[in-house]
Amino acid sequence: MKKDKTYYMSLDYPVQIERVEEGICAFIPMLRGCKAFGETSEIALRELEAVKEGFFDVFLQMGKSIPEPVIHIDIPYRVFKELKEREVLEPFVVY
């Protein structure tokens, strides 16, 4: 799959929303500096989509690497070792 702007825009990056002096700030922690503000969370999230698109344009144009979302799952080792898919997942485990 070609990793162009369409590819990166299709990924589900975790978003955080915080109340700040200016109103509401929506940002993507994995994409440093990718944040937007608005009077409401809906406005901030809508603005964030435009900022994210510009972020990808700039990074792709500059040839910079773009981090992709990852999932962190905390499960007890005793549960993990019983999984049938353990061998497939083993390379991704952080102890």
Side-chain angles (χ1 to χ4, degrees), residues 75 78-87 89:
I75 59 173
R78 62 181 166 69
V79 173
F80 175 75
K81 70 181 184 179
E82 299 298 323
L83 292 175
K84 292 180 183 176
E85 301 85 6
R86 179 176 165 208
E87 293 79 26
L89 298 172

Side-chain angles (χ1 to χ4, degrees), residues 53-64:
E53 190 170 352
F55 180 95
F56 293 143
D57 282 335
V58 170
F59 270 59
L60 289 167
Q61 184 178 26
M62 295 175 69
K64 288 188 165 193

Side-chain angles (χ1 to χ4, degrees), residues 32-90:
R32 184 178 224 160
C34 190
K35 59 180 152 182
F37 299 89
E39 292 180 12
T40 66
S41 57
E42 292 82 9
I43 293 171
L45 288 169
R46 187 171 56 240
E47 294 296 320
L48 183 62
E49 283 300 304
V51 170
K52 182 171 70 170
E53 190 170 352
F55 180 95
F56 293 143
D57 282 335
V58 170
F59 270 59
L60 289 167
Q61 184 178 26
M62 295 175 69
K64 288 188 165 193
S65 64
I66 300 171
E68 295 183 28
V70 294
I71 298 172
H72 297 275
I73 301 173
D74 292 325
I75 59 173
Y77 183 73
R78 62 181 166 69
V79 173
F80 175 75
K81 70 181 184 179
E82 299 298 323
L83 292 175
K84 292 180 183 176
E85 301 85 6
R86 179 176 165 208
E87 293 79 26
V88 175
L89 298 172
E90 192 75 42

